[in-house]
Amino acid sequence: MNAGWGRQLIKRLANRHHLLLAGHLLMLHALAFGGWQVPAVRLLWLVALGFFLLWQPFVDGEQRVSGRQAIALFGAALASTWLLGPWLLLIWSGALAASIGGRVMVSVQKGERAGYLLAFGYLVALTMLGIVPEISPAAQVDSALRDALAVFMPLALPLLLLFPARAPQRKSGEAFDLFYGMLVFLVLAVLVLGALAYIPIGGTGYIESLFRTSMTVAGALLVVAWAWNPRGGFSGVSSAISRYLLSLGMPLEQWLVHLSQESEKNHDPEVFLAAAMQRLAETPWILGVSWQTGTGKGGVGDTSLFTHDSHAGDLRLRVFFRNFPSPALQWHVDWLLRLAIEFYLVKRQSQQLQRMGYVQAIYETGARVTHDVKNLLQSLQALCYAASQPGDPADVANLLRRQLPLVADRLRSTLDKLQSPRLEDDERLDARAWWLRLQERYAHADIEWHGEPYAEEVLPRALFDSVAENLLQNAIAKRQRESGLFIDVTFGEEGLSVTDNGSAIPPGVAEGLLNAPVASNDGLGVGLYHAAKQAEAMGYRLSLVTNQKGCVLFRLAPPVRVSSPTP
């Protein structure tokens, strides 16, 4: 029954956070103003430790204490009670002030923060006016003032109960700010030592020395606060410290510069990765680095038991530290490795895109050559068919004499496309000569020819050969399916036009005929698709102008001619 009542009392006290703090400060007050010299009053130190253990924001108050921990805690409490004195109280007050100051920075509610500030001010006054005069004879305070402070200062402690206070979230790490706590401890130490040092230097009393030192420290803190986050567009000291803490010896900007330099020097992703890891291994807190990719592995430096791994896909990176890395150091190294991984992946993707572009160029060149060879075979097939027909042998010999050199020339041009396609694409030919050669090449195909090119006009031979071959061969193949088909070729100002009076191209095929390869029994579509892309690259435009029964018209339109203004 008594044990259950004790647990309920402790639970209720733990939920009244400012009550615990006020009780602890009251015990310190009784000890600071001479109470530490009275053996009976010294026992209040154990009560003060009990209040602190319930209030402290570091360890979960509901955590069970083991036997060894209880013995160690009891021994530390007895030893501190035996050695209790003004020096121990001074050190304890500084640590408690640091704890309260670190708690203020994580307090969200204004009332809660005001309560902690009140407790902090009370503790500073207790330290400067109660504990320090017990240590140094030079820090003398008027006895009447000291007696008044000893009696009336505790009257301010009940004000703590007016402010809200939530229990600290010890498990989430949001109960205490170590950086601000250390800063508060150092500022309080400077205040105490500065006040004591100013007494012999300034030849003043302790109260005046304390006042002047407080004003000096307050002015210095105001300057530091302004420099920490100034106005007028300056980043301030906070930005510089934040960058330094995040950099941990290697600023992110410097690491990005290293990655950019290695990326410019090394286009191969594997070589770039090795160079970047070599740069990273030069960092003082890294002993070595190893990596493994889909094509190989490598390493720089030595190995150790303290590692950090990072991976993306088939890339594995491992960093070996000289000592056990802190969570902040691991987070920082992970960022450095992620940046290196992103650079590596971009270079590898660029290499893959380059290979795909190379394969696409081979495919397009091969597709064009394949269609040229197909057209050549169709021309040879037509010649063989003409030669096999009964007739005058002299006429057949003249036909072969005219056509075979043209077929040989076209075959040589097709082979040139494989060896130097760009040079062949840039070849220019007189329009009249090309027009006459085209008519001579298809003289046996029963085609109507109309039009006449401009005088001294030149045109890209590869483009016009490819477009004419594809359009005429498709029309001739269509004639074999539709007997009596009429084919008309016109060459003039509007460009090269090929027309037939056969059936219209199906709508599904016509929509993608010049934009993508289409399925067809005689190859219709792939050749025209490449011819359209080739024309677009050279500034021309191949289009299906008319698609209806009795009139199917394709046209290769030349670039728009811009006439010069008349002077």
Side-chain angles (χ1 to χ4, degrees):
M1 187 72 179
N2 293 334
W5 180 82
R7 292 193 187 96
Q8 291 181 0
L9 178 61
I10 293 176
K11 187 175 181 180
R12 290 180 180 180
L13 288 175
N15 292 330
R16 290 169 173 81
H17 210 54
H18 280 345
L19 179 60
L20 295 173
L21 183 57
H24 183 76
L25 292 178
L26 182 61
M27 300 299 106
L28 287 182
H29 181 92
L31 295 169
F33 284 90
W36 62 275
Q37 299 177 359
V38 181
V41 180
R42 292 168 70 96
L43 296 177
L44 293 177
W45 175 248
L46 297 176
V47 181
L49 289 179
F51 280 121
F52 176 78
L53 290 177
L54 294 177
W55 173 85
Q56 53 83 25
F58 306 104
V59 183
D60 189 1
E62 298 179 356
Q63 182 177 353
R64 289 185 175 273
V65 180
S66 63
R68 292 183 179 181
Q69 292 175 344
I71 293 174
L73 187 61
F74 183 72
L78 290 180
S80 61
T81 305
W82 178 262
L83 300 174
L84 185 63
W87 282 106
L88 181 60
L89 290 175
L90 180 63
I91 296 175
W92 180 263
S93 298
L96 182 60
S99 301
I100 296 175
R103 188 77 180 98
V104 169
M105 296 304 170
V106 296
S107 298
V108 179
Q109 300 179 5
K110 293 183 179 180
E112 182 184 12
R113 182 173 299 178
Y116 281 116
L117 289 176
L118 175 61
F120 178 77
Y122 185 91
L123 187 60
V124 171
L126 181 64
T127 302
M128 303 305 299
L129 300 176
I131 300 177
V132 174
E134 296 284 334
I135 297 176
S136 175
Q140 295 297 325
V141 181
D142 185 71
S143 58
L145 176 61
R146 183 174 173 82
D147 293 340
L149 291 174
V151 174
F152 294 105
M153 274 186 62
L155 297 178
L157 292 177
L159 297 177
L160 282 176
L161 305 180
L162 302 178
F163 298 97
R166 56 188 176 92
Q169 301 295 325
R170 301 179 178 94
K171 294 182 179 180
S172 63
E174 298 179 355
F176 179 73
D177 194 315
L178 179 62
F179 179 79
Y180 285 104
M182 294 177 60
L183 183 62
V184 169
F185 183 86
L186 293 176
V187 170
L188 186 59
V190 170
L191 182 61
V192 172
L193 296 178
L196 294 177
Y198 193 79
I199 293 175
I201 295 175
T204 60
Y206 177 66
I207 299 299
E208 183 179 355
S209 173
L210 181 61
F211 176 77
R212 293 189 177 185
T213 304
S214 302
M215 292 298 101
T216 303
V217 172
L221 291 177
L222 286 176
V223 174
V224 171
W226 177 85
W228 184 263
N229 189 17
R231 306 297 179 183
F234 297 99
S235 59
V237 180
S238 63
S239 178
I241 293 180
S242 299
R243 286 197 300 267
Y244 178 76
L245 292 177
L246 288 176
S247 66
L248 297 175
M250 176 178 283
L252 294 177
E253 295 86 352
Q254 183 180 356
W255 178 241
L256 288 174
V257 170
H258 291 335
L259 292 179
S260 300
Q261 292 176 351
E262 298 300 337
S263 179
E264 292 177 359
K265 291 191 300 184
N266 304 300
H267 298 286
D268 184 83
E270 304 297 332
V271 178
F272 161 77
L273 182 63
M277 294 301 101
Q278 178 68 40
R279 291 286 189 101
L280 184 61
E282 297 174 358
T283 309
W285 31 268
I286 290 182
L287 192 60
V289 184
S290 66
W291 63 90
Q292 182 177 1
T293 63
T295 58
K297 60 182 179 179
V300 177
D302 300 326
T303 61
S304 66
L305 298 177
F306 313 113
T307 62
H308 178 77
D309 297 332
S310 183
H311 59 87
D314 58 353
L315 176 61
R316 299 288 189 275
L317 300 179
R318 172 168 292 181
V319 177
F320 301 94
F321 298 97
R322 297 184 181 274
N323 302 303
F324 183 77
S326 63
L329 181 58
Q330 292 184 4
W331 177 84
H332 175 71
V333 171
D334 190 66
W335 267 107
L336 299 182
L337 294 178
R338 286 180 181 273
L339 290 174
I341 289 174
E342 291 299 326
F343 272 79
Y344 171 80
L345 294 179
V346 169
K347 296 189 74 67
R348 192 167 70 174
Q349 290 175 358
S350 299
Q351 188 181 58
Q352 293 175 352
L353 290 176
Q354 185 178 5
R355 292 176 180 174
M356 291 176 60
Y358 180 71
V359 171
Q360 183 179 2
I362 294 176
Y363 160 73
E364 292 181 354
T365 302
R368 289 171 51 192
V369 172
T370 300
H371 281 83
D372 290 344
V373 171
K374 183 200 71 171
N375 294 334
L376 285 172
L377 292 176
Q378 290 178 348
S379 298
L380 290 175
Q381 183 180 4
L383 289 177
C384 293
Y385 176 78
S388 63
Q389 295 298 319
D392 190 357
D395 295 337
V396 174
N398 290 332
L399 176 64
L400 295 177
R401 190 180 302 109
R402 292 194 310 269
Q403 295 296 329
L404 288 179
L406 297 176
V407 173
D409 183 60
R410 291 167 57 192
L411 181 60
R412 183 172 57 255
S413 299
T414 302
L415 294 177
D416 291 340
K417 292 180 183 180
L418 292 175
Q419 299 175 358
S420 56
R422 293 185 179 179
L423 294 178
E424 196 275 337
D425 286 347
D426 294 338
E427 181 182 356
R428 298 281 172 166
L429 184 65
D430 180 73
R432 290 180 179 274
W434 178 85
W435 178 243
L436 293 176
R437 292 180 60 181
L438 180 64
Q439 295 183 41
E440 185 177 1
R441 191 185 310 165
Y442 288 93
H444 62 284
D446 190 17
I447 298 175
E448 294 290 332
W449 308 92
H450 300 91
E452 190 73 18
Y454 281 106
E456 299 181 358
E457 182 180 6
V458 294
L459 48 81
R461 175 183 175 183
L463 173 62
F464 275 76
D465 279 345
S466 177
V467 172
E469 290 287 344
N470 279 282
L471 293 178
L472 291 177
Q473 291 295 338
N474 291 337
I476 293 174
K478 187 176 180 180
R479 174 185 287 172
Q480 295 177 359
R481 298 191 303 270
E482 302 177 10
S483 59
L485 187 72
F486 174 81
I487 302 175
D488 179 88
V489 180
T490 304
F491 191 26
E493 296 182 4
E494 296 182 354
L496 178 65
S497 300
V498 177
T499 309
D500 67 76
N501 61 346
S503 61
I505 302 175
V509 177
E511 291 177 358
L513 185 61
L514 303 176
N515 300 319
V518 295
S520 178
N521 296 328
D522 54 4
L524 179 66
V526 178
L528 290 180
Y529 166 69
H530 287 292
K533 292 298 182 183
Q534 185 181 6
E536 182 180 355
M538 293 186 176
Y540 288 75
R541 183 173 182 269
L542 178 60
S543 59
L544 177 59
V545 179
T546 305
N547 182 30
Q548 59 185 10
K549 184 177 181 180
C551 182
V552 178
L553 170 60
F554 286 91
R555 178 174 297 155
L556 177 63
V560 179
R561 295 183 177 87
V562 180
S563 58
S564 58
T566 304

